[in-house]
Amino acid sequence: LPVYGWPALRRDLLHEGGLTENELGAVFTCGAWSVQGGRFLVGLARDKYGTRNTVVTCLAMVCVGSVLIATSGSGNLAGMCFGMLFLGMGSGAQLCVQPVASLFPEATLTAMASLSGAFQLSGLVFLVCSQVGNTGAKRVGAYLGHAVLVSVLLGVSVKVLPKGVSFTEEVNTDNEGTGDPGSHNTKGGDTERGIGIGDGDAAPVAAVDVSLQTLHVSSPNQALLTVPTHALPPAPAPTTRLVSPAAHFGKPRSALFASDEFLALAVWFSVMVTPSQYYVLSIGYQLERMGDDTGRFTTAFGLIYGGSAPLAPLAGLLCDKCGVGFAQLVATALSATGFAFLFIDDLNSQYFGMACYSVGRMMLFATFFANVGRRFGYAHYGSLVGTGMLTSAICSMTQYPGYQLALSGDTELKNVNAVCFALTMSCVPYCVWLGRRERSEWRAFREASETGV
């Protein structure tokens, strides 16, 4: 996701000359829109054509985008727009590899959030390329070098990624091919029969030490055990809090899309993404208005943004331990704090504001992906995430007219920041509602487990 390291590339293009601030805003908008909207197509492609083919295509688009950024002149608006467009489309590779988190049934959301943090590091790409370009390689050498590195990653992906949509193997006791209990079915893909016991677990039925009533169920992607409870030995008392299966698991895709919870999630994400995109688009300009003539604070933003990645596992741990509703509330509050600090006309104060924004943005995306995986499963993960991305892309197109308005004067700039702050705060009631629903499910599941119902 190098698109979100935009402030560093923006400053380089300003120094080279050729594009106005308005045109630079259009360049970023192309990239930001394709990051969001492109994942709808990527999600559908992942579900239909599999992980490997889709990721390879995405990485090829990243290569094309880097080459265009490298070779387009500083005044070539079309070249820069298409370069950012391809870079954004290629970021869909993130969506394709996130279901690997199902390999960690005890900490699925921690694993998924860690992946989101890893991708947040890509926000440093533009900053690194800027530094490399300033040492003599220039923009063409820096971004062509990036294209070469992505090409290597493309080759690795061809070798290691699965052809299907699943990173796990299914274990069916009725064995669809050989008639031998406990043998592997390696077709890949998702299924919604039975109860998961852990991805890739090939243990014979008699050796499995679990109970269907005290089972950790976090994803229908887990390997299957389709045997009655009396065929299993008693399980010891659980030592960790049970994770209840969400009511949406096993439902057809149409029912998932129509559920109140998915509709509310899509609205939350779309409303949150719009000001979040505007922040990246405008932060370089706003820092310069506060007196950042040397670009020191713009560079600091890139470092803080990428440096927030190590906190991603904590975001996932928060989802696992406290629920996605509470984690989404934290993400919302941090994002709002970032905008609140823009009202303080002091550069040093922006360190804290940029830190809050960066962690909040990381958690915004991490908790959105985690919510889909935890609450709806992975059978239709690509379609659900892609739809949320598409709706957020449509809404976030308002960032560009908002930026144009902000460029017209200090009062307008403050007004746009105030609207962004209000939008983020308006999402708090949804997070509270979701948290209460999760706690209600946990209580019901715990009572059923204790009574044996």
Side-chain angles (χ1 to χ4, degrees):
L1 299 175
V3 168
Y4 296 126
W6 165 251
L9 177 58
R10 169 192 167 274
R11 192 166 183 85
D12 288 343
L13 294 176
L14 277 176
H15 286 165
E16 292 179 23
L19 294 177
T20 66
E21 193 68 57
N22 253 327
E23 290 171 330
L24 289 170
V27 171
F28 173 77
T29 300
C30 286
W33 184 89
S34 64
V35 168
Q36 301 299 112
R39 294 195 199 186
F40 174 71
L41 299 176
V42 171
L44 295 178
R46 176 257 179 192
D47 288 350
K48 183 173 183 179
Y49 300 109
T51 299
R52 181 188 302 172
N53 291 335
T54 308
V55 169
V56 167
T57 302
C58 287
L59 293 179
M61 286 191 285
V62 173
C63 291
V64 173
S66 289
V67 170
L68 285 173
I69 295 295
T71 58
S72 297
S74 59
N76 186 347
L77 177 62
M80 289 296 174
C81 284
F82 277 105
M84 291 288 283
L85 188 72
F86 278 106
L87 285 175
M89 287 290 294
S91 69
Q94 176 188 12
L95 183 154
C96 297
V97 301
Q98 281 182 322
V100 75
S102 63
L103 295 175
F104 307 92
E106 296 295 328
T108 300
L109 304 190
T110 302
M112 182 176 289
S114 298
L115 290 173
S116 295
F119 281 101
Q120 180 127 343
L121 280 172
S122 64
L124 294 173
V125 169
F126 282 171
L127 182 60
V128 172
C129 286
S130 176
Q131 297 300 318
V132 171
N134 290 336
T135 60
K138 298 185 178 180
R139 175 159 52 88
V140 61
Y143 285 92
L144 286 179
H146 175 249
V148 170
L149 293 176
V150 174
S151 298
V152 174
L153 185 60
L154 188 154
V156 173
S157 299
V158 172
K159 293 291 185 182
V160 303
L161 291 179
K163 291 183 178 179
V165 299
S166 176
F167 286 82
T168 66
E169 293 179 339
E170 294 177 12
V171 182
N172 287 326
T173 57
D174 58 354
N175 187 27
E176 294 180 347
T178 64
D180 296 326
S183 63
H184 282 272
N185 172 3
T186 58
K187 292 179 182 179
D190 294 291
T191 178
E192 297 179 352
R193 297 181 290 108
I195 300 293
I197 62 170
D199 300 298
D201 195 330
V205 171
V208 178
D209 190 20
V210 295
S211 167
L212 297 186
Q213 296 172 350
T214 60
L215 196 59
H216 289 264
V217 181
S218 58
S219 167
N221 265 353
Q222 296 171 338
L224 298 181
L225 185 64
T226 55
V227 295
T229 306
H230 62 74
L232 299 173
T239 57
T240 59
R241 180 175 61 79
L242 300 175
V243 178
S244 65
H248 305 291
F249 278 13
K251 291 184 178 180
R253 180 164 56 182
S254 59
L256 298 181
F257 278 116
S259 66
D260 61 342
E261 194 168 315
F262 179 73
L263 293 175
L265 174 64
V267 170
W268 171 79
F269 187 63
S270 299
V271 172
M272 288 294 298
V273 162
T274 301
S276 184
Q277 302 288 65
Y278 169 79
Y279 189 100
V280 178
L281 170 60
S282 67
I283 187 61
Y285 173 75
Q286 297 204 56
L287 291 173
E288 289 167 2
R289 293 294 291 256
M290 294 180 191
D292 183 28
D293 298 327
T294 64
R296 184 176 61 141
F297 287 85
T298 298
T299 300
F301 170 75
L303 294 172
I304 292 171
Y305 181 88
S308 65
L311 297 177
L314 295 180
L317 186 63
L318 199 63
C319 291
D320 279 321
K321 299 299 183 183
C322 303
V324 291
F326 180 76
Q328 287 175 243
L329 178 62
V330 174
T332 300
L334 288 172
S335 298
T337 302
F339 279 102
F341 268 75
L342 289 177
F343 292 102
I344 303 175
D345 193 12
D346 175 63
L347 278 173
N348 289 324
S349 299
Q350 300 312 312
Y351 283 123
F352 184 76
M354 290 187 294
C356 288
Y357 165 80
S358 297
V359 177
R361 182 187 178 87
M362 178 269 294
M363 291 189 65
L364 166 64
F365 283 85
T367 55
F368 171 69
F369 296 134
N371 185 306
V372 176
R374 163 66 66 82
R375 307 291 298 169
F376 302 93
Y378 296 101
H380 304 292
Y381 181 83
S383 299
L384 292 169
V385 169
T387 299
M389 288 290 183
L390 180 62
T391 58
S392 68
I394 295 172
C395 293
S396 67
M397 289 297 289
T398 58
Q399 67 182 297
Y400 184 56
Y403 187 53
Q404 288 181 309
L405 178 62
L407 292 176
S408 60
D410 287 342
T411 300
E412 289 78 7
L413 179 62
K414 292 179 180 178
N415 288 340
V416 174
N417 287 340
V419 170
C420 291
F421 176 79
L423 284 173
T424 55
M425 291 302 296
S426 70
C427 294
V428 169
Y430 155 75
C431 299
V432 174
W433 168 78
L434 179 60
R436 287 178 176 174
R437 173 174 284 195
E438 285 186 296
R439 286 193 294 274
S440 177
E441 291 175 353
W442 289 338
R443 283 194 297 267
F445 185 65
R446 187 180 299 110
E447 290 172 2
S449 300
E450 292 173 352
T451 59
V453 177

